[in-house]
Amino acid sequence: MNRIFRRIKTVFWELVCFKLRIVGLVPSHYFRRFCYRCWGIRIGNGSTIHMGASFYYPPKISIGNDTIIGEGVVLDGRDRLIIGNHVDIASEVMVYNAEHDINDESFKAITAPVVIEDYVFIGPRVIILPGVTIKKGAVVAAGAVVTKDVEEFKIVGGVPAKEIADRQNKNPNYKLGRAAWFR
């Protein structure tokens, strides 16, 4: 009986995520934000998710204030996903907090939370893997694969991501501005 209940729950959330994917194609930030909030994503004031976003289990996703998330992102909520304030996530970024244990005989899923702190910039096509914390003011260069925590105000890049520089501005206090209307 427990197995049947789990399967029904899985199918339900797969349908929700499918509907949210369709919602993600509507060119209205207000409509998308309303629908995303209805399905449990916590989205702060002034934050925007551009078109084409995909979600896994939305109720565990939290986005702070004045954050802009680019087109075609994947946000995984199978464990906690916390995105802070004034975060700029570019297009086609994938943030995962679940993966398969390749050494387990049953190839079971394992999860770990992902935290992206305030004033972080994540470049296009970055992949962030489970259990990672990207600390305040860090920058992740385009195409990087983040497998380990990124310290405050560090700039990382590459596969796997490694430190390449320090961010000069150690006291950010900017606002990201408004999102493009039809994205």
Side-chain angles (χ1 to χ4, degrees):
M1 193 63 156
N2 195 19
R3 185 175 168 177
I4 293 170
F5 176 73
R6 277 195 324 259
R7 185 66 183 147
I8 290 170
K9 180 181 172 187
T10 299
V11 170
F12 171 79
W13 283 109
E14 286 173 355
L15 284 170
V16 168
C17 291
F18 175 70
K19 289 176 184 177
L20 290 179
R21 192 171 182 114
I22 292 169
V23 164
L25 300 175
V26 176
S28 168
H29 292 293
Y30 301 107
F31 177 76
R32 288 194 310 269
R33 189 170 36 231
F34 172 77
C35 292
Y36 295 156
R37 285 176 173 157
C38 285
W39 286 104
I41 301 173
R42 287 171 297 289
I43 303 172
N45 293 331
S47 291
T48 300
I49 301 172
H50 286 290
M51 292 177 65
S54 296
F55 303 94
Y56 301 117
Y57 198 71
K60 290 188 179 178
I61 299 171
S62 176
I63 301 166
N65 298 322
D66 186 44
T67 290
I68 295 179
I69 298 176
E71 298 157 317
V73 299
V74 175
L75 300 177
D76 189 347
R78 292 174 285 184
D79 202 319
R80 283 180 323 180
L81 171 56
I82 300 168
I83 300 171
N85 301 315
H86 314 288
V87 174
D88 188 353
I89 298 178
S91 297
E92 299 180 9
V93 169
M94 295 181 278
V95 182
Y96 292 106
N97 54 30
E99 63 186 348
H100 289 281
D101 183 350
I102 60 171
N103 296 315
D104 183 80
E105 289 180 10
S106 64
F107 201 54
K108 72 177 178 179
I110 52 176
T111 66
V114 171
V115 177
I116 301 170
E117 294 182 358
D118 300 345
Y119 293 104
V120 168
F121 172 68
I122 299 174
R125 295 196 170 180
V126 165
I127 299 171
I128 300 170
L129 296 179
V132 167
T133 296
I134 301 176
K135 296 183 181 172
K136 180 180 179 179
V139 175
V140 181
V145 176
V146 183
T147 60
K148 296 180 180 171
D149 291 356
V150 178
E151 294 303 316
E152 284 190 358
F153 301 105
K154 297 296 181 187
I155 301 171
V156 299
V159 179
K162 294 188 182 339
E163 183 181 327
I164 55 178
D166 283 330
R167 189 171 181 181
Q168 298 304 309
N169 180 5
K170 304 282 194 234
N171 189 26
N173 61 359
Y174 52 80
K175 286 191 152 260
L176 291 173
R178 70 169 186 83
W181 277 27
F182 298 105
R183 286 208 248 156

